[in-house]
Amino acid sequence: MKFAVVVFPGSNCDRDMYFAVKDALGEEADLVWYQEAELSSYDAVLLPGGFSYGDYLRSGAIASTSDVIGQIREAAEAGKPVLGVCNGFQILLEMGLLPGAMLSNKHLKFMCHFETLKVENAETMFTREYEPQEKISIPIAHGDGNYYCDEATYQELKDNRQIAFTYENNPNGSVGDIAGITNKAGNVLGMMPHPERAVEALVGNEDGLRLFQSILTHWRNNHAIKA
């Protein structure tokens, strides 16, 4: 399986994402500069964290208008896995692939620590290697991670089982304790916590690795050559 890690000016978690796929997962990955991207040859698209364009205007807003966004939409419409983490989640919200918006953390401070998440839907292509309602430990690192949507949208997210992860102890004020959501089709996931920073026992935690393994399992099940 071949992953594209799209790099914008200001991305700073792109190497973490790259090595999570390359070293921990053992699959092929490329760092793809947004101006030179040709995503049609990739099986999955990853949008890493960081501060694209310095978070000017709004987090992810300027990146959401760049030329590569059209290719990301095409990948999503083709059913390919599209994962946006932290700033990548903010970009997915700004470009409208996921509903809602991101506000500043409730205490108006940048936070960087591990948080306990609950797997709300273990049947997506991103979560199938987890158990339903399993609690996992994944680090956060954000200042604008307070997910917001109106009541109608929140009810729709619940009804469609689009809430993939919730916080056990909501650190940022997100509606419904939401830590990660998918689109209705289930092939686009945005999440504020960083699974790519929790893929090796050497650094104390492998809970994030199963997210990438879930993507790989889904791809293999759908692309295996049957005799």
Side-chain angles (χ1 to χ4, degrees), residues 4-34:
V5 180
V6 181
V7 182
F8 293 97
S11 297
N12 66 9
C13 304
D14 39 22
R15 268 66 179 176
D16 293 339
M17 193 78 82
Y18 173 83
F19 286 112
V21 172
K22 193 77 171 178
D23 293 350
L25 189 64
E27 294 297 310
E28 188 175 355
D30 289 325
L31 293 165
V32 181
W33 183 243
Y34 78 112

PDB file of all heavy atoms in Angstrom, residues 4-34:
ATOM      1  N   ALA A   4       0.496   8.844   0.638  1.00  0.00           N
ATOM      2  CA  ALA A   4       1.015  10.185   0.375  1.00  0.00           C
ATOM      3  C   ALA A   4       0.847  11.027   1.632  1.00  0.00           C
ATOM      4  O   ALA A   4      -0.255  11.124   2.179  1.00  0.00           O
ATOM      5  CB  ALA A   4       0.271  10.838  -0.782  1.00  0.00           C
ATOM      6  N   VAL A   5       1.942  11.628   2.104  1.00  0.00           N
ATOM      7  CA  VAL A   5       1.887  12.575   3.216  1.00  0.00           C
ATOM      8  C   VAL A   5       2.032  13.961   2.609  1.00  0.00           C
ATOM      9  O   VAL A   5       3.116  14.344   2.156  1.00  0.00           O
ATOM     10  CB  VAL A   5       3.015  12.313   4.237  1.00  0.00           C
ATOM     11  CG1 VAL A   5       2.922  13.317   5.380  1.00  0.00           C
ATOM     12  CG2 VAL A   5       2.948  10.885   4.756  1.00  0.00           C
ATOM     13  N   VAL A   6       0.947  14.711   2.559  1.00  0.00           N
ATOM     14  CA  VAL A   6       0.955  16.020   1.895  1.00  0.00           C
ATOM     15  C   VAL A   6       1.573  17.052   2.827  1.00  0.00           C
ATOM     16  O   VAL A   6       1.153  17.209   3.980  1.00  0.00           O
ATOM     17  CB  VAL A   6      -0.473  16.449   1.510  1.00  0.00           C
ATOM     18  CG1 VAL A   6      -0.442  17.808   0.801  1.00  0.00           C
ATOM     19  CG2 VAL A   6      -1.118  15.398   0.598  1.00  0.00           C
ATOM     20  N   VAL A   7       2.567  17.774   2.327  1.00  0.00           N
ATOM     21  CA  VAL A   7       3.314  18.742   3.125  1.00  0.00           C
ATOM     22  C   VAL A   7       2.976  20.155   2.657  1.00  0.00           C
ATOM     23  O   VAL A   7       3.114  20.476   1.479  1.00  0.00           O
ATOM     24  CB  VAL A   7       4.831  18.506   3.008  1.00  0.00           C
ATOM     25  CG1 VAL A   7       5.592  19.493   3.890  1.00  0.00           C
ATOM     26  CG2 VAL A   7       5.187  17.070   3.368  1.00  0.00           C
ATOM     27  N   PHE A   8       2.531  20.981   3.594  1.00  0.00           N
ATOM     28  CA  PHE A   8       2.258  22.395   3.337  1.00  0.00           C
ATOM     29  C   PHE A   8       3.332  23.249   4.002  1.00  0.00           C
ATOM     30  O   PHE A   8       4.037  22.789   4.904  1.00  0.00           O
ATOM     31  CB  PHE A   8       0.888  22.783   3.920  1.00  0.00           C
ATOM     32  CG  PHE A   8      -0.279  22.135   3.250  1.00  0.00           C
ATOM     33  CD1 PHE A   8      -0.854  20.983   3.785  1.00  0.00           C
ATOM     34  CD2 PHE A   8      -0.831  22.671   2.098  1.00  0.00           C
ATOM     35  CE1 PHE A   8      -1.944  20.387   3.182  1.00  0.00           C
ATOM     36  CE2 PHE A   8      -1.923  22.074   1.479  1.00  0.00           C
ATOM     37  CZ  PHE A   8      -2.473  20.932   2.026  1.00  0.00           C
ATOM     38  N   PRO A   9       3.466  24.513   3.608  1.00  0.00           N
ATOM     39  CA  PRO A   9       4.349  25.400   4.358  1.00  0.00           C
ATOM     40  C   PRO A   9       3.872  25.490   5.813  1.00  0.00           C
ATOM     41  O   PRO A   9       2.714  25.841   6.057  1.00  0.00           O
ATOM     42  CB  PRO A   9       4.186  26.756   3.650  1.00  0.00           C
ATOM     43  CG  PRO A   9       3.629  26.427   2.303  1.00  0.00           C
ATOM     44  CD  PRO A   9       2.803  25.199   2.487  1.00  0.00           C
ATOM     45  N   GLY A  10       4.717  25.141   6.753  1.00  0.00           N
ATOM     46  CA  GLY A  10       4.326  25.171   8.158  1.00  0.00           C
ATOM     47  C   GLY A  10       3.967  23.812   8.732  1.00  0.00           C
ATOM     48  O   GLY A  10       3.788  23.692   9.948  1.00  0.00           O
ATOM     49  N   SER A  11       3.855  22.774   7.888  1.00  0.00           N
ATOM     50  CA  SER A  11       3.652  21.423   8.430  1.00  0.00           C
ATOM     51  C   SER A  11       4.849  21.068   9.297  1.00  0.00           C
ATOM     52  O   SER A  11       5.989  21.336   8.927  1.00  0.00           O
ATOM     53  CB  SER A  11       3.526  20.397   7.304  1.00  0.00           C
ATOM     54  OG  SER A  11       2.399  20.648   6.487  1.00  0.00           O
ATOM     55  N   ASN A  12       4.614  20.467  10.466  1.00  0.00           N
ATOM     56  CA  ASN A  12       5.759  20.064  11.286  1.00  0.00           C
ATOM     57  C   ASN A  12       5.603  18.662  11.870  1.00  0.00           C
ATOM     58  O   ASN A  12       6.439  18.228  12.652  1.00  0.00           O
ATOM     59  CB  ASN A  12       6.041  21.085  12.399  1.00  0.00           C
ATOM     60  CG  ASN A  12       4.939  21.166  13.437  1.00  0.00           C
ATOM     61  OD1 ASN A  12       4.010  20.367  13.454  1.00  0.00           O
ATOM     62  ND2 ASN A  12       5.047  22.153  14.309  1.00  0.00           N
ATOM     63  N   CYS A  13       4.542  17.969  11.499  1.00  0.00           N
ATOM     64  CA  CYS A  13       4.360  16.585  11.934  1.00  0.00           C
ATOM     65  C   CYS A  13       4.432  15.624  10.755  1.00  0.00           C
ATOM     66  O   CYS A  13       4.074  14.455  10.882  1.00  0.00           O
ATOM     67  CB  CYS A  13       3.026  16.423  12.655  1.00  0.00           C
ATOM     68  SG  CYS A  13       2.812  17.518  14.057  1.00  0.00           S
ATOM     69  N   ASP A  14       4.877  16.130   9.616  1.00  0.00           N
ATOM     70  CA  ASP A  14       4.912  15.318   8.409  1.00  0.00           C
ATOM     71  C   ASP A  14       5.892  14.158   8.531  1.00  0.00           C
ATOM     72  O   ASP A  14       5.609  13.042   8.095  1.00  0.00           O
ATOM     73  CB  ASP A  14       5.235  16.165   7.172  1.00  0.00           C
ATOM     74  CG  ASP A  14       6.276  17.239   7.437  1.00  0.00           C
ATOM     75  OD1 ASP A  14       7.060  17.095   8.404  1.00  0.00           O
ATOM     76  OD2 ASP A  14       6.310  18.217   6.686  1.00  0.00           O
ATOM     77  N   ARG A  15       7.051  14.410   9.168  1.00  0.00           N
ATOM     78  CA  ARG A  15       8.040  13.330   9.336  1.00  0.00           C
ATOM     79  C   ARG A  15       7.526  12.271  10.290  1.00  0.00           C
ATOM     80  O   ARG A  15       7.754  11.074  10.091  1.00  0.00           O
ATOM     81  CB  ARG A  15       9.360  13.896   9.842  1.00  0.00           C
ATOM     82  CG  ARG A  15      10.352  14.276   8.749  1.00  0.00           C
ATOM     83  CD  ARG A  15       9.882  15.417   7.896  1.00  0.00           C
ATOM     84  NE  ARG A  15      10.849  15.782   6.860  1.00  0.00           N
ATOM     85  CZ  ARG A  15      10.618  16.712   5.946  1.00  0.00           C
ATOM     86  NH1 ARG A  15       9.460  17.374   5.945  1.00  0.00           N
ATOM     87  NH2 ARG A  15      11.528  16.999   5.027  1.00  0.00           N
ATOM     88  N   ASP A  16       6.825  12.694  11.341  1.00  0.00           N
ATOM     89  CA  ASP A  16       6.225  11.722  12.257  1.00  0.00           C
ATOM     90  C   ASP A  16       5.270  10.797  11.506  1.00  0.00           C
ATOM     91  O   ASP A  16       5.271   9.579  11.713  1.00  0.00           O
ATOM     92  CB  ASP A  16       5.461  12.434  13.375  1.00  0.00           C
ATOM     93  CG  ASP A  16       6.361  13.209  14.320  1.00  0.00           C
ATOM     94  OD1 ASP A  16       7.566  12.890  14.371  1.00  0.00           O
ATOM     95  OD2 ASP A  16       5.871  14.112  14.992  1.00  0.00           O
ATOM     96  N   MET A  17       4.435  11.394  10.655  1.00  0.00           N
ATOM     97  CA  MET A  17       3.478  10.612   9.880  1.00  0.00           C
ATOM     98  C   MET A  17       4.197   9.684   8.907  1.00  0.00           C
ATOM     99  O   MET A  17       3.837   8.508   8.761  1.00  0.00           O
ATOM    100  CB  MET A  17       2.541  11.555   9.115  1.00  0.00           C
ATOM    101  CG  MET A  17       1.319  10.882   8.531  1.00  0.00           C
ATOM    102  SD  MET A  17       0.033  10.561   9.748  1.00  0.00           S
ATOM    103  CE  MET A  17      -0.779  12.161   9.813  1.00  0.00           C
ATOM    104  N   TYR A  18       5.221  10.205   8.251  1.00  0.00           N
ATOM    105  CA  TYR A  18       5.997   9.430   7.289  1.00  0.00           C
ATOM    106  C   TYR A  18       6.623   8.199   7.944  1.00  0.00           C
ATOM    107  O   TYR A  18       6.502   7.079   7.440  1.00  0.00           O
ATOM    108  CB  TYR A  18       7.075  10.317   6.672  1.00  0.00           C
ATOM    109  CG  TYR A  18       8.052   9.595   5.779  1.00  0.00           C
ATOM    110  CD1 TYR A  18       7.746   9.321   4.453  1.00  0.00           C
ATOM    111  CD2 TYR A  18       9.296   9.205   6.270  1.00  0.00           C
ATOM    112  CE1 TYR A  18       8.654   8.669   3.626  1.00  0.00           C
ATOM    113  CE2 TYR A  18      10.205   8.560   5.459  1.00  0.00           C
ATOM    114  CZ  TYR A  18       9.878   8.285   4.139  1.00  0.00           C
ATOM    115  OH  TYR A  18      10.783   7.625   3.339  1.00  0.00           O
ATOM    116  N   PHE A  19       7.282   8.403   9.082  1.00  0.00           N
ATOM    117  CA  PHE A  19       7.962   7.286   9.738  1.00  0.00           C
ATOM    118  C   PHE A  19       6.981   6.320  10.392  1.00  0.00           C
ATOM    119  O   PHE A  19       7.281   5.132  10.538  1.00  0.00           O
ATOM    120  CB  PHE A  19       8.986   7.804  10.744  1.00  0.00           C
ATOM    121  CG  PHE A  19      10.220   8.380  10.088  1.00  0.00           C
ATOM    122  CD1 PHE A  19      10.493   9.741  10.161  1.00  0.00           C
ATOM    123  CD2 PHE A  19      11.088   7.561   9.379  1.00  0.00           C
ATOM    124  CE1 PHE A  19      11.609  10.275   9.541  1.00  0.00           C
ATOM    125  CE2 PHE A  19      12.216   8.086   8.749  1.00  0.00           C
ATOM    126  CZ  PHE A  19      12.474   9.450   8.840  1.00  0.00           C
ATOM    127  N   ALA A  20       5.802   6.808  10.780  1.00  0.00           N
ATOM    128  CA  ALA A  20       4.773   5.901  11.311  1.00  0.00           C
ATOM    129  C   ALA A  20       4.369   4.887  10.251  1.00  0.00           C
ATOM    130  O   ALA A  20       4.191   3.692  10.542  1.00  0.00           O
ATOM    131  CB  ALA A  20       3.550   6.695  11.773  1.00  0.00           C
ATOM    132  N   VAL A  21       4.252   5.347   9.012  1.00  0.00           N
ATOM    133  CA  VAL A  21       3.888   4.449   7.914  1.00  0.00           C
ATOM    134  C   VAL A  21       5.081   3.633   7.454  1.00  0.00           C
ATOM    135  O   VAL A  21       5.010   2.410   7.287  1.00  0.00           O
ATOM    136  CB  VAL A  21       3.306   5.256   6.734  1.00  0.00           C
ATOM    137  CG1 VAL A  21       3.103   4.346   5.508  1.00  0.00           C
ATOM    138  CG2 VAL A  21       1.995   5.908   7.127  1.00  0.00           C
ATOM    139  N   LYS A  22       6.218   4.295   7.260  1.00  0.00           N
ATOM    140  CA  LYS A  22       7.403   3.658   6.677  1.00  0.00           C
ATOM    141  C   LYS A  22       8.039   2.645   7.635  1.00  0.00           C
ATOM    142  O   LYS A  22       8.335   1.500   7.247  1.00  0.00           O
ATOM    143  CB  LYS A  22       8.426   4.739   6.319  1.00  0.00           C
ATOM    144  CG  LYS A  22       9.556   4.267   5.425  1.00  0.00           C
ATOM    145  CD  LYS A  22       9.091   4.131   3.981  1.00  0.00           C
ATOM    146  CE  LYS A  22      10.288   3.869   3.069  1.00  0.00           C
ATOM    147  NZ  LYS A  22       9.852   3.696   1.665  1.00  0.00           N
ATOM    148  N   ASP A  23       8.251   3.041   8.867  1.00  0.00           N
ATOM    149  CA  ASP A  23       8.990   2.208   9.814  1.00  0.00           C
ATOM    150  C   ASP A  23       8.082   1.334  10.667  1.00  0.00           C
ATOM    151  O   ASP A  23       8.310   0.133  10.799  1.00  0.00           O
ATOM    152  CB  ASP A  23       9.857   3.076  10.724  1.00  0.00           C
ATOM    153  CG  ASP A  23      10.982   3.777   9.976  1.00  0.00           C
ATOM    154  OD1 ASP A  23      11.198   3.440   8.800  1.00  0.00           O
ATOM    155  OD2 ASP A  23      11.630   4.652  10.560  1.00  0.00           O
ATOM    156  N   ALA A  24       7.062   1.939  11.283  1.00  0.00           N
ATOM    157  CA  ALA A  24       6.202   1.178  12.195  1.00  0.00           C
ATOM    158  C   ALA A  24       5.236   0.270  11.439  1.00  0.00           C
ATOM    159  O   ALA A  24       5.059  -0.894  11.807  1.00  0.00           O
ATOM    160  CB  ALA A  24       5.441   2.123  13.115  1.00  0.00           C
ATOM    161  N   LEU A  25       4.603   0.804  10.394  1.00  0.00           N
ATOM    162  CA  LEU A  25       3.647   0.000   9.626  1.00  0.00           C
ATOM    163  C   LEU A  25       4.336  -0.867   8.582  1.00  0.00           C
ATOM    164  O   LEU A  25       3.844  -1.945   8.235  1.00  0.00           O
ATOM    165  CB  LEU A  25       2.629   0.920   8.949  1.00  0.00           C
ATOM    166  CG  LEU A  25       1.427   0.258   8.288  1.00  0.00           C
ATOM    167  CD1 LEU A  25       0.548  -0.448   9.324  1.00  0.00           C
ATOM    168  CD2 LEU A  25       0.604   1.287   7.513  1.00  0.00           C
ATOM    169  N   GLY A  26       5.473  -0.415   8.075  1.00  0.00           N
ATOM    170  CA  GLY A  26       6.219  -1.176   7.075  1.00  0.00           C
ATOM    171  C   GLY A  26       5.668  -1.069   5.674  1.00  0.00           C
ATOM    172  O   GLY A  26       5.858  -1.973   4.848  1.00  0.00           O
ATOM    173  N   GLU A  27       5.013   0.056   5.367  1.00  0.00           N
ATOM    174  CA  GLU A  27       4.465   0.270   4.032  1.00  0.00           C
ATOM    175  C   GLU A  27       5.147   1.443   3.349  1.00  0.00           C
ATOM    176  O   GLU A  27       5.935   2.176   3.964  1.00  0.00           O
ATOM    177  CB  GLU A  27       2.950   0.510   4.128  1.00  0.00           C
ATOM    178  CG  GLU A  27       2.156  -0.694   4.611  1.00  0.00           C
ATOM    179  CD  GLU A  27       2.239  -1.890   3.677  1.00  0.00           C
ATOM    180  OE1 GLU A  27       2.022  -1.715   2.461  1.00  0.00           O
ATOM    181  OE2 GLU A  27       2.527  -3.000   4.168  1.00  0.00           O
ATOM    182  N   GLU A  28       4.848   1.624   2.084  1.00  0.00           N
ATOM    183  CA  GLU A  28       5.488   2.668   1.285  1.00  0.00           C
ATOM    184  C   GLU A  28       4.843   4.022   1.562  1.00  0.00           C
ATOM    185  O   GLU A  28       3.622   4.135   1.657  1.00  0.00           O
ATOM    186  CB  GLU A  28       5.373   2.329  -0.199  1.00  0.00           C
ATOM    187  CG  GLU A  28       6.162   3.252  -1.114  1.00  0.00           C
ATOM    188  CD  GLU A  28       6.126   2.806  -2.566  1.00  0.00           C
ATOM    189  OE1 GLU A  28       5.559   1.732  -2.839  1.00  0.00           O
ATOM    190  OE2 GLU A  28       6.659   3.538  -3.414  1.00  0.00           O
ATOM    191  N   ALA A  29       5.660   5.055   1.685  1.00  0.00           N
ATOM    192  CA  ALA A  29       5.164   6.405   1.934  1.00  0.00           C
ATOM    193  C   ALA A  29       6.066   7.420   1.259  1.00  0.00           C
ATOM    194  O   ALA A  29       7.272   7.208   1.131  1.00  0.00           O
ATOM    195  CB  ALA A  29       5.073   6.692   3.426  1.00  0.00           C
ATOM    196  N   ASP A  30       5.467   8.523   0.821  1.00  0.00           N
ATOM    197  CA  ASP A  30       6.214   9.633   0.238  1.00  0.00           C
ATOM    198  C   ASP A  30       5.777  10.923   0.896  1.00  0.00           C
ATOM    199  O   ASP A  30       4.581  11.132   1.175  1.00  0.00           O
ATOM    200  CB  ASP A  30       5.950   9.749  -1.270  1.00  0.00           C
ATOM    201  CG  ASP A  30       6.577   8.615  -2.072  1.00  0.00           C
ATOM    202  OD1 ASP A  30       7.671   8.161  -1.698  1.00  0.00           O
ATOM    203  OD2 ASP A  30       5.955   8.194  -3.058  1.00  0.00           O
ATOM    204  N   LEU A  31       6.754  11.804   1.136  1.00  0.00           N
ATOM    205  CA  LEU A  31       6.452  13.174   1.517  1.00  0.00           C
ATOM    206  C   LEU A  31       6.204  13.951   0.232  1.00  0.00           C
ATOM    207  O   LEU A  31       7.082  14.041  -0.630  1.00  0.00           O
ATOM    208  CB  LEU A  31       7.612  13.783   2.300  1.00  0.00           C
ATOM    209  CG  LEU A  31       7.872  13.179   3.684  1.00  0.00           C
ATOM    210  CD1 LEU A  31       9.233  13.601   4.201  1.00  0.00           C
ATOM    211  CD2 LEU A  31       6.780  13.593   4.657  1.00  0.00           C
ATOM    212  N   VAL A  32       5.007  14.497   0.080  1.00  0.00           N
ATOM    213  CA  VAL A  32       4.597  15.118  -1.179  1.00  0.00           C
ATOM    214  C   VAL A  32       4.372  16.617  -0.958  1.00  0.00           C
ATOM    215  O   VAL A  32       3.446  17.016  -0.242  1.00  0.00           O
ATOM    216  CB  VAL A  32       3.303  14.464  -1.718  1.00  0.00           C
ATOM    217  CG1 VAL A  32       2.904  15.102  -3.041  1.00  0.00           C
ATOM    218  CG2 VAL A  32       3.485  12.964  -1.874  1.00  0.00           C
ATOM    219  N   TRP A  33       5.229  17.438  -1.534  1.00  0.00           N
ATOM    220  CA  TRP A  33       5.060  18.890  -1.436  1.00  0.00           C
ATOM    221  C   TRP A  33       3.781  19.303  -2.150  1.00  0.00           C
ATOM    222  O   TRP A  33       3.515  18.874  -3.263  1.00  0.00           O
ATOM    223  CB  TRP A  33       6.266  19.589  -2.043  1.00  0.00           C
ATOM    224  CG  TRP A  33       6.264  21.082  -1.947  1.00  0.00           C
ATOM    225  CD1 TRP A  33       6.243  21.970  -2.969  1.00  0.00           C
ATOM    226  CD2 TRP A  33       6.296  21.864  -0.738  1.00  0.00           C
ATOM    227  NE1 TRP A  33       6.264  23.257  -2.504  1.00  0.00           N
ATOM    228  CE2 TRP A  33       6.297  23.227  -1.129  1.00  0.00           C
ATOM    229  CE3 TRP A  33       6.327  21.546   0.623  1.00  0.00           C
ATOM    230  CZ2 TRP A  33       6.315  24.266  -0.195  1.00  0.00           C
ATOM    231  CZ3 TRP A  33       6.341  22.579   1.553  1.00  0.00           C
ATOM    232  CH2 TRP A  33       6.337  23.927   1.133  1.00  0.00           C
ATOM    233  N   TYR A  34       2.995  20.125  -1.507  1.00  0.00           N
ATOM    234  CA  TYR A  34       1.642  20.428  -1.986  1.00  0.00           C
ATOM    235  C   TYR A  34       1.611  21.001  -3.403  1.00  0.00           C
ATOM    236  O   TYR A  34       0.661  20.761  -4.153  1.00  0.00           O
ATOM    237  CB  TYR A  34       0.943  21.384  -1.009  1.00  0.00           C
ATOM    238  CG  TYR A  34       1.365  22.836  -1.125  1.00  0.00           C
ATOM    239  CD1 TYR A  34       0.492  23.802  -1.590  1.00  0.00           C
ATOM    240  CD2 TYR A  34       2.658  23.243  -0.763  1.00  0.00           C
ATOM    241  CE1 TYR A  34       0.867  25.131  -1.692  1.00  0.00           C
ATOM    242  CE2 TYR A  34       3.047  24.550  -0.865  1.00  0.00           C
ATOM    243  CZ  TYR A  34       2.155  25.498  -1.332  1.00  0.00           C
ATOM    244  OH  TYR A  34       2.541  26.807  -1.436  1.00  0.00           O
TER     245      TYR A  34
END
